[in-house]
Amino acid sequence: MKAAEEALRLLAKRGAAAYCGEPVSQLEHALQCASFAVRAGSPPELVIAALLHDVGHLLPGDDETLHEVVGYEWLLRRFGPGVAEPARCHVAAKRYLCFIEPEYLADLSPASVRSLAFQGGPFREEEARAFEALPHHSEAVLLRRWDDAAKVPGMKVPGLDEYRELLDLLG
Ligand code: FE
């Protein structure tokens, strides 16, 4: 199956699941996140990274493997590093932002604060500097901010079909 078709089917079939303790489904979260990326004038890779950054939650996997790692491997094989790397780093970007912006931590949703503890907590200085050296770190930070905002119940955004062309282009 083509990568684009595979991604669309996953989101359509499994996207009804709740999004990690937030008041939106996985599909609503993905579509909101992608719509923010479009609104910001992002390149195709980053729009699709926003749409698929949590694809690891929709894939069958063991509980031991982190969703961003499962998602990364899936995305890398199908859409390449421009899509896979920002998605892989979206959890690291949260830990990074907690370190450089104290107000960022204060604004996180309760579910996101809870998961932060499992994710290792805010970065320390040397971890933050190592993160800044990653080639896709600025895209990961942008994605992270859209990710945090994409939790609005009932928000009107374009549907999955809107992304078919971009998925076909990259996949
Ligand atoms: Fe997310």
Side-chain angles (χ1 to χ4, degrees):
M1 197 191 306
K2 273 207 67 188
E5 201 50 46
E6 221 181 325
L8 289 166
R9 281 193 194 187
L10 257 180
L11 281 167
K13 279 196 177 157
R14 309 196 64 174
Y19 175 63
C20 318
E22 304 288 354
V24 289
S25 69
Q26 288 282 351
L27 178 59
E28 288 173 309
H29 175 66
L31 291 174
Q32 288 181 23
C33 199
S35 78
F36 297 145
V38 169
R39 227 187 279 171
S42 309
E45 283 85 358
L46 193 50
V47 172
I48 297 307
L51 182 73
L52 299 176
H53 73 277
D54 279 327
V55 75
H57 283 306
L58 306 178
L59 295 165
D62 54 87
D63 294 340
E64 307 292 298
T65 315
L66 299 169
H67 84 278
E68 65 271 25
V69 176
V70 176
Y72 171 71
E73 284 159 10
W74 193 92
L75 288 171
L76 187 64
R77 257 180 276 130
R78 289 161 180 83
F79 297 102
V83 172
E85 291 292 344
R88 178 172 73 93
C89 297
H90 80 280
V91 172
K94 171 181 168 181
R95 300 177 64 198
Y96 172 73
L97 285 167
C98 287
F99 170 77
I100 58 159
E101 281 182 27
E103 62 277 19
Y104 174 83
L105 178 55
D107 284 344
L108 283 178
S109 71
S112 201
V113 170
R114 276 196 298 278
S115 59
L116 177 65
F118 297 108
Q119 289 157 348
F123 272 164
R124 286 165 295 141
E125 172 86 37
E126 62 273 25
E127 292 171 309
R129 299 304 159 231
F131 178 78
E132 284 166 350
L134 298 174
H136 292 277
H137 81 275
S138 46
E139 287 91 343
V141 167
L142 287 170
L143 197 155
R144 185 72 224 181
R145 295 193 194 277
W146 302 324
D147 187 11
D148 293 325
K151 299 171 178 180
V152 185
M155 186 181 175
K156 288 265 175 291
V157 289
L160 262 186
D161 271 345
E162 201 73 18
Y163 301 97
R164 187 177 289 274
E165 216 172 298
L166 278 189
L167 285 164
D168 269 327
L169 183 79
L170 299 173

